[in-house]
Amino acid sequence: MAYVQVEADDTRLEEGPEGLQFKCADAGAGNNRSSPNPPRSAGVVNADRGYLAEEGRAAAKGTGGFWTVEYYQPYFDIDTKTVLQRCYMTLNPLAAPTFIPTHLTPADLYGPFWTLTTLIFALFLSSSLAASISAYLSPEAQKFDYDFKLLSIAMSLVYAYGIALPVLLWLALRYLGVGEWSVVEAVSLWGYGQFVWIPVSVLCVLPVPIVRWVLVGLAFGLSAYFLGANIYPILASAEAKATRLLIIVLAALHLGVALSFKILFFSYYIKKIGPDITIPGGDLPGAGGNSTAT
């Protein structure tokens, strides 16, 4: 009886349409099992194409809107060694043309923020120390008082030039159709570019006008070349050739900032130390009331 049931089942499977469908499905399943390349899940495919990796990098850039702290937190996640290396490389003219692709990948905001903040206090402290030395070395031994207005001036000037200007430049280039860099790269580039003024501020404590002018000129040349070597290729990528003329405007603004540093913070001078020792360049005119002369 078992033999008869099997034969009846075979007849039913062969004749019934559902049996044919069952056989096809079973054959398809067998083909799938025997296939050397079984179908992969959507997650595996996305991983092979890099989609999941891109999502991971996007998540690492921070979550939330640009008005939240979490959005900017990844830009401050950088070690001190990398920040110092980027600062030192701004002093090397040979490394300036390749600074963005070589040393500023990825861009950060931690280094530029502390560079600009340190520059503010360096300008104020160096200027105050230079003024006190000039007053002490003058024959009349004039009384010296700290001018805290210089701190407010330094803060406004440095932050406006180091943060507001690159943001405005980025907006202008976006309007002109140049989108090869981000606003974070713009602020980061400008912030690191002002590092040279920190050691110059310290050295300008020396009450010698000629030395101060040389130091200011050197800082202006290094920082201007650094910014120009990194910004001009971006301007040159614009379709409108007139966009390249912006480099002249930026150079004029940079020169104005350099002269402002010299006049506002490094204009203290004396002609003599005592009655006989003459200071080289001491006969040069000073600015406003920032001079101590015999």
Side-chain angles (χ1 to χ4, degrees):
M1 296 192 52
Y3 175 77
V4 175
Q5 290 180 354
V6 171
E7 185 178 16
D9 291 340
D10 289 341
T11 304
R12 186 166 53 253
L13 291 174
E14 291 177 359
E15 295 179 357
E18 295 181 357
L20 294 176
Q21 294 178 0
F22 175 79
K23 287 183 178 180
C24 293
D26 184 59
N31 293 334
N32 290 338
R33 286 193 298 269
S34 62
S35 176
N37 296 320
R40 295 172 294 180
S41 62
V44 176
V45 175
N46 290 338
D48 292 344
R49 296 181 180 179
Y51 296 153
L52 297 182
E54 292 293 339
E55 292 178 359
R57 285 194 292 268
K61 292 184 179 180
T63 57
F66 66 91
W67 59 86
T68 61
V69 178
E70 291 78 9
Y71 181 85
Y72 298 96
Q73 184 175 358
Y75 298 114
F76 290 86
D77 186 12
I78 186 172
D79 58 283
T80 305
K81 181 180 179 180
T82 303
V83 172
L84 293 178
Q85 182 181 6
R86 292 179 176 182
C87 290
Y88 297 150
M89 294 308 297
T90 61
L91 304 178
N92 184 7
L94 300 179
T98 59
F99 182 79
I100 292 180
T102 305
H103 302 284
L104 203 62
T105 304
D108 70 287
L109 295 177
Y110 178 83
F113 172 77
W114 283 112
T115 299
L116 297 176
T117 303
T118 304
L119 176 58
I120 292 172
F121 286 98
L123 289 172
F124 174 72
L125 295 178
S126 300
S127 177
S128 300
L129 182 58
S132 63
I133 293 176
S134 299
Y136 176 77
L137 295 179
S138 63
E140 301 177 358
Q142 298 178 357
K143 183 180 179 180
F144 169 75
D145 293 327
Y146 288 96
D147 187 6
F148 288 97
K149 292 182 180 179
L150 290 177
L151 182 60
S152 300
I153 295 175
M155 185 179 299
S156 302
L157 182 61
V158 171
Y159 281 152
Y161 182 71
I163 297 179
L165 179 61
V167 172
L168 293 176
L169 177 63
W170 177 79
L171 291 174
L173 293 180
R174 292 284 293 181
Y175 177 78
L176 296 175
V178 180
E180 292 190 0
W181 65 342
S182 65
V183 63
V184 176
E185 289 179 339
V187 175
S188 184
L189 179 68
W190 236 272
Y192 281 117
Q194 311 312 311
F195 173 76
V196 65
W197 291 104
I198 297 178
V200 167
S201 300
V202 177
L203 295 176
C204 281
V205 172
L206 299 174
V208 183
I210 292 180
V211 174
R212 291 178 177 177
W213 278 109
V214 171
L215 291 173
V216 170
L218 181 62
F220 166 76
L222 283 176
S223 56
Y225 177 76
F226 171 79
L227 293 175
N230 287 277
I231 296 173
Y232 185 77
I234 298 175
L235 299 179
S237 64
E239 295 181 359
K241 301 300 181 181
T243 307
R244 302 180 182 182
L245 298 178
L246 286 176
I247 198 68
I248 301 177
V249 177
L250 297 176
L253 292 174
H254 194 68
L255 178 60
V257 170
L259 292 177
S260 299
F261 287 162
K262 175 62 181 69
I263 295 173
L264 294 174
F265 303 100
F266 309 134
S267 57
Y268 294 90
Y269 76 100
I270 57 177
K271 288 184 178 180
K272 295 180 180 180
I273 302 177
D276 298 325
I277 304 177
T278 303
I279 297 297
D283 54 345
L284 298 177
N290 295 339
S291 60
T292 303
T294 58

